[in-house]
Amino acid sequence: MKQNIVFLSCLLLFCWATTSTTTTNANASEQRDSMTETLFEQANILHTQGEVQQAIEQYLRIIKEHGVSASLLYNLANSYAAAGEVGLAVLNYERARHLAPGDADIQGNLEQVRKDAGLYRDDQVLYKRLAALLGADQWLLIAGCAFFCLGGSALLANFFKGKGQRNLHWFMIGSSAVCLLTLPPALLRYQDWKIGVVIAEDVHLLLSPFADSAVAGDIKAGRLIQPKGVHNEYVLVKTETGKSGWLAKKDFSLVTDNPGITPSF
């Protein structure tokens, strides 16, 4: 009898402690969310009042302490654009675009900043514009669902005959088509994660990875580049216009690098 009482007492104490911890964690999470929202609103007000440098500092503080979101990166990019820092504006628009593919506001502001800075590009081909409507994970999710439907309908076709079997065959054909159509844009979108953005002003592409190297050509802040190789403090890059050359690591940042974090190269 005494053992049962002790067991029940321990069980009740454990349940109380678990509930108390859960409640405490939930309250702490709510407080963090509330604090983040307050800081975000303060930064937005600073931007609206024209205090863009203070707004940038506030957005970066939120990112450092609470992480990133598409809306946060979008507003940070807007502040950089207002401050005339084209490279950092394009970089953060690109990061926001990867978190929220197909967002018209992000895409529109990105294109406007690029246009104003003279970063003209030829119109993208149709398949690239279609691929940009969704993120790589979203395209893969659709392909995975279609593949699951294909496998399921193939199994069910063994148990049906006549009209039912014919309908399943058509369903299998449709599922196969969806798989074939969604895998290429998924791969294309994953390749986009390898791009970087030039963030420094008045930099040059070099013919070799040395500070005293001859210049291969100028490159504007905000221009997209794709790393190809690394040598000490320099990276061999290919620009979106097709030029190649060496660029100092400090002069660009990858889209996949977190704001405020040391670059991968």
Side-chain angles (χ1 to χ4, degrees):
M1 183 67 177
K2 289 183 178 180
Q3 291 178 341
N4 291 338
I5 292 174
V6 172
F7 174 76
L8 288 174
S9 299
C10 292
L11 181 60
L12 289 172
L13 182 61
F14 174 77
C15 292
W16 174 83
T18 303
T19 304
S20 178
T21 302
T22 302
T23 303
T24 301
N25 291 339
N27 291 336
S29 179
E30 290 178 2
Q31 289 177 354
R32 285 195 300 270
D33 292 342
S34 178
M35 183 182 299
T36 303
E37 185 176 348
T38 300
L39 292 173
F40 187 64
E41 289 300 325
Q42 290 174 353
N44 292 343
I45 292 172
L46 287 170
H47 176 87
T48 303
Q49 293 175 342
E51 304 290 342
V52 291
Q53 289 298 339
Q54 290 88 332
I56 290 170
E57 292 174 5
Q58 187 83 312
Y59 289 130
L60 291 175
R61 175 188 169 189
I62 299 171
I63 289 171
K64 183 178 180 180
E65 295 179 359
H66 305 282
V68 299
S69 66
S71 59
L72 179 55
L73 290 171
Y74 170 70
N75 284 14
L76 175 62
N78 287 339
S79 292
Y80 275 128
E85 300 187 53
V86 176
L88 290 169
V90 171
L91 173 64
N92 285 283
Y93 280 133
E94 288 287 351
R95 287 171 172 168
R97 190 169 68 90
H98 280 289
L99 293 179
D103 187 293
D105 291 334
I106 296 173
Q107 187 64 35
N109 283 22
L110 172 60
E111 291 302 325
Q112 187 61 51
V113 167
R114 290 179 60 86
K115 180 179 179 181
D116 293 342
L119 300 170
Y120 297 106
R121 286 188 300 179
D122 295 333
D123 289 337
Q124 288 185 321
V125 293
L126 180 60
Y127 74 89
K128 286 189 176 182
R129 281 182 284 167
L130 291 174
L133 293 176
L134 297 174
D137 292 340
Q138 293 169 310
W139 283 117
L140 279 180
L141 179 61
I142 295 173
C145 291
F147 186 78
F148 177 80
C149 292
L150 174 63
S153 57
L155 290 174
L156 289 174
N158 296 323
F159 301 98
F160 288 87
K161 293 184 178 180
K163 186 177 181 180
Q165 192 176 53
R166 287 195 300 272
N167 291 337
L168 284 171
H169 284 163
W170 282 111
F171 189 73
M172 290 167 59
I173 292 173
S175 299
S176 300
V178 172
C179 281
L180 292 175
L181 290 173
T182 53
L183 283 175
L187 295 174
L188 189 64
R189 293 292 282 147
Y190 270 120
Q191 289 179 349
D192 285 347
W193 279 92
K194 299 177 182 179
I195 64 172
V197 179
V198 178
I199 58 176
E201 300 284 349
D202 302 322
V203 295
H204 309 282
L205 289 174
L206 303 178
L207 289 175
S208 59
F210 303 100
D212 57 353
S213 169
V215 174
D218 296 331
I219 185 168
K220 290 184 177 181
R223 184 66 75 186
L224 302 183
I225 56 95
Q226 189 171 27
K228 297 294 184 180
V230 183
H231 182 80
N232 294 330
E233 295 302 312
Y234 290 87
V235 179
L236 178 62
V237 302
K238 183 177 181 180
T239 73
E240 57 186 325
T241 58
K243 294 181 180 179
S244 294
W246 293 89
L247 194 63
K249 296 177 183 179
K250 62 181 177 60
D251 292 334
F252 75 96
S253 185
L254 295 178
V255 172
T256 49
D257 287 337
N258 289 325
I261 304 300
T262 304
S264 301
F265 284 95

